[in-house]
Amino acid sequence: MISFLDLKKVNNQYETELKEACNRVIESGQYIAGSELDSFEVEFSSYCGTKYAVGVANGLDALSIVLRAWKEMGKIKAGDEVILSANTYIASVFAITDNDLTPVLVEPNDSTYNLDIQTIEKSITTKTKVILPVHLYGRISPMNEITLLAKKYNLLILEDSAQSHGASINGVKAGNFGHASGFSFYPSKNLGALGDAGAVTTNDKQLADIVRSLGNYGSYKKYENIYKGVNSRLDEIQAAMLRVKLNYLDKDTAIRKLIAKKYLDKIKNPLVRLPEKCSDENHVWHLFVVRCKNRQHFQEYLTNTGISSLIHYPIPPHKQQAYEEYRNIRLPITDKIHQEVLSLPINPSLNDEEVDIIISSINNYTI
């Protein structure tokens, strides 16, 4: 069976360095807020091209704490609206509702799966304060256009860069377009830790300072709490692991791109809709998502031929029990996407033979 993602195999490539990094932390005796975190924040902000990076516990916290910080800064208030694509992972929506803000779920572009400029503009009201573009599957959203639109209506931009480490437009990377960005380093991400981890990037020093304080119990100084904060810190071991893997991110991304190109060039089955081609720098292929009208049959076929696949995501946020109040909104494009999408294996541990088997199997698929 060709696994969808073998994390042990992926991380075995860096085994020696990861163990050395872990031992370095153990021997330091500093396990929270130490030199590894300081170094990673500098290195990751440099990679993204931003002035600041603040480590947090996970990707959800990265988004949620930014919104909370903007509330503390008086930039937004409870009840304000945040526009985002309806086909995102539910965590993007949680970050909004956790802050007593109102998510405005809009239809994505049917080809890119990201926000559509026209749809955004049609959804802007007097209560709209934030645009939250999710760079889904690894493809960066049309950030130049979104930035112009945000300036036109005086809106904040919070990028959800959880799946797009290193994706760029004209050399500007994800995480450096908006007023802030949230990253996830969940183990399966392109830059994955060996546990939960996340970060916020921004060029706003005040925001970075408040985000850091909010994640540390609302404190700048021990036992002195300015805000009603939370405990959301990127620990030293995960920071050390990420420092190792950041050195290989571009190399691993290049492998993902080669696999994606091979899929795009050689999969020729009309029953399977491939992702839209785009500029090489725009997509880092966190996921290679195809569409099939008879998805269940197609997935069963792949399983029977020894190929694992996953569905990202089977149920859209507005159809989840957690958001019953949104069940009656009409989002036909989103609903269709969630009924048809299927993710194929794409990661740096795949070898050429496995990729060829996947291509051949898909080309041989019939109903």
Side-chain angles (χ1 to χ4, degrees):
M1 176 70 75
I2 299 174
S3 65
F4 181 79
L5 175 61
D6 186 338
L7 284 174
K8 183 177 180 181
K9 188 176 179 182
V10 168
N11 288 315
N12 277 348
Q13 302 173 83
Y14 327 112
E15 181 179 4
T16 300
E17 291 178 75
L18 291 172
K19 288 180 177 178
E20 289 174 352
C22 187
N23 287 335
R24 190 168 65 237
V25 174
I26 293 170
E27 291 171 5
S28 75
Q30 181 74 49
Y31 309 127
I32 298 288
S35 61
E36 294 292 342
L37 176 59
D38 290 343
S39 295
F40 174 70
E41 288 178 342
V42 170
E43 291 159 7
F44 189 64
S45 63
S46 176
Y47 178 82
C48 294
T50 59
K51 292 181 181 178
Y52 310 102
V54 181
V56 295
N58 53 68
L60 171 56
D61 282 0
L63 297 174
S64 184
I65 292 175
V66 169
L67 293 171
R68 189 166 178 174
W70 281 338
K71 290 178 75 176
E72 295 289 352
M73 295 166 71
K75 291 180 178 290
I76 58 176
K77 64 183 184 304
D80 284 344
E81 295 177 349
V82 181
I83 293 175
L84 74 165
S85 50
N87 60 316
T88 184
Y89 181 55
I90 200 168
S92 308
V93 189
F94 284 156
I96 298 168
T97 56
D98 283 352
N99 281 284
D100 297 318
L101 302 168
T102 303
V104 178
L105 299 167
V106 301
E107 294 277 47
N109 182 292
D110 188 50
S111 297
T112 68
Y113 308 120
N114 285 332
L115 279 174
D116 184 278
I117 297 300
Q118 293 182 346
T119 308
I120 298 173
E121 190 158 23
K122 288 177 182 177
S123 303
I124 294 173
T125 72
T126 56
K127 290 186 176 181
T128 306
K129 299 298 177 184
V130 182
I131 301 174
L132 200 161
V134 182
H135 309 317
L136 203 61
Y137 308 147
R139 178 170 182 164
I140 195 167
S141 303
M143 291 310 302
N144 291 332
E145 293 86 348
I146 290 174
T147 299
L148 289 173
L149 192 64
K151 287 180 179 177
K152 178 180 176 180
Y153 291 96
N154 193 29
L155 304 177
L156 294 164
I157 299 174
L158 173 55
E159 295 175 72
D160 185 338
S161 302
Q163 301 184 6
S164 61
H165 315 73
S168 62
I169 298 172
N170 296 327
V172 181
K173 287 191 172 76
N176 195 20
F177 283 94
H179 298 88
S181 179
F183 283 88
S184 168
F185 306 122
Y186 186 77
S188 62
K189 303 300 186 188
N190 290 29
L191 178 59
L194 273 70
D196 262 326
V200 171
T201 57
T202 184
N203 292 308
D204 183 337
K205 185 179 186 302
Q206 182 186 13
L207 177 63
D209 289 344
I210 294 175
V211 166
R212 190 180 303 282
S213 175
L214 284 170
N216 186 36
Y217 300 100
S219 174
Y220 291 106
K221 184 178 179 181
K222 196 169 185 178
Y223 302 129
E224 295 183 14
N225 306 85
I226 298 174
Y227 311 108
K228 296 174 182 176
V230 296
N231 178 11
S232 181
R233 297 174 294 198
L234 175 54
D235 71 70
E236 284 289 282
I237 286 183
Q238 296 307 332
M241 302 293 107
L242 289 166
R243 291 186 67 199
V244 171
K245 297 186 71 176
L246 181 58
N247 292 325
Y248 297 96
L249 178 56
D250 286 344
K251 177 184 73 68
D252 288 347
T253 298
I255 295 172
R256 289 176 180 272
K257 290 180 177 181
L258 286 173
I259 296 170
K261 186 178 187 307
K262 203 167 182 180
Y263 283 160
L264 290 168
D265 290 345
K266 295 190 175 183
I267 294 175
K268 302 293 185 182
N269 193 326
L271 298 175
V272 179
R273 177 176 166 182
L274 299 176
E276 181 185 72
K277 292 184 179 180
C278 62
S279 169
D280 188 55
E281 68 168 352
N282 295 163
H283 210 318
V284 292
W285 300 103
H286 170 60
L287 297 171
F288 191 94
V289 179
V290 299
R291 289 169 67 175
C292 185
K293 292 183 178 180
N294 197 342
R295 180 177 64 192
Q296 182 177 349
H297 183 267
F298 180 47
Q299 187 173 36
E300 289 173 354
Y301 164 81
L302 290 176
T303 301
N304 291 335
T305 56
I307 300 166
S308 296
S309 60
L310 291 178
I311 299 170
H312 295 89
Y313 304 96
I315 306 173
H318 71 283
K319 293 289 182 70
Q320 297 282 0
Q321 185 174 342
Y323 289 109
E324 286 188 349
E325 64 269 33
Y326 289 95
R327 284 208 167 170
N328 292 327
I329 64 174
R330 186 173 179 275
L331 295 166
I333 295 174
T334 296
D335 289 339
K336 189 175 182 183
I337 287 171
H338 284 263
Q339 291 163 8
E340 295 180 355
V341 291
L342 188 71
S343 301
L344 303 180
I346 183 166
N347 63 79
S349 71
L350 283 176
N351 60 46
D352 290 341
E353 182 182 0
E354 289 172 325
V355 173
D356 288 340
I357 289 171
I358 293 167
I359 292 169
S360 177
S361 295
I362 293 173
N363 284 336
N364 289 330
Y365 170 67
T366 59
I367 295 177

